Amino acid sequence: MPDLLLDINLQQLPDEYLAGTWRVSDRVLNQTNPNSALALATNFVLQPGFLQLHAPGHTAQGDWTVQRDELLNRPYLQLQLSEEETRALITRMRRSPDGEFSSLNLYFQSGMEMQLTRP
């Protein structure tokens, strides 16, 4: 991990900053079903109009979009998989100055918290 990471203003977060392959580096399940694909995920691949989720012994495909609430313009990641549909508030995004390293914090409707890192 680089020494310097910059916080991204979430109200101005470009959707393309989310594209790429993300590794799940930390998660807190809370009330989430521990056997769900999201709870077991190790990697997310986000490409325009395409989502692929990797979990041990399981791969799921679907779609993702970014939605924003009207009041504060906070970004939500809407995930649509064949087994489930959910959305997660993007609570923090950080990037290295060269854009090669990023971290993304998500808070799901179920209460699950997840930190993703890239590369």
Side-chain angles (χ1 to χ4, degrees):
M1 181 166 72
D3 292 334
L4 177 64
L5 292 177
L6 306 171
D7 281 310
I8 303 300
N9 181 341
L10 295 177
Q11 293 175 328
Q12 299 172 355
L13 174 68
D15 292 0
E16 57 268 12
Y17 277 21
L18 300 174
T21 300
W22 294 89
R23 182 181 64 81
V24 177
S25 58
D26 193 24
R27 94 182 88 230
V28 177
L29 294 179
N30 293 323
Q31 300 297 317
T32 302
N33 174 358
N35 297 317
S36 73
L38 280 170
L40 296 171
T42 56
N43 289 325
F44 287 80
V45 178
L46 301 175
Q47 295 301 330
F50 176 75
L51 161 67
Q52 189 172 53
L53 181 138
H54 298 273
H58 184 72
T59 299
Q61 294 182 354
D63 191 21
W64 67 281
T65 56
V66 176
Q67 299 176 340
R68 297 180 182 280
D69 68 23
E70 292 181 20
L71 184 60
L72 299 174
N73 203 34
R74 293 177 298 193
Y76 288 85
L77 187 60
Q78 180 78 33
L79 303 175
Q80 298 166 330
L81 298 163
S82 57
E83 301 97 21
E84 63 185 305
E85 182 175 329
T86 189
R87 76 181 202 165
L89 175 64
I90 299 172
T91 59
R92 185 177 204 184
M93 182 167 194
R94 302 176 82 196
R95 287 174 48 122
S96 61
D98 61 7
E100 293 295 314
F101 181 86
S102 298
S103 71
L104 180 65
N105 292 27
L106 303 173
Y107 183 79
F108 288 84
Q109 289 173 310
S110 64
M112 177 172 61
E113 298 175 60
M114 189 177 286
Q115 182 176 29
L116 307 176
T117 56
R118 181 182 62 204

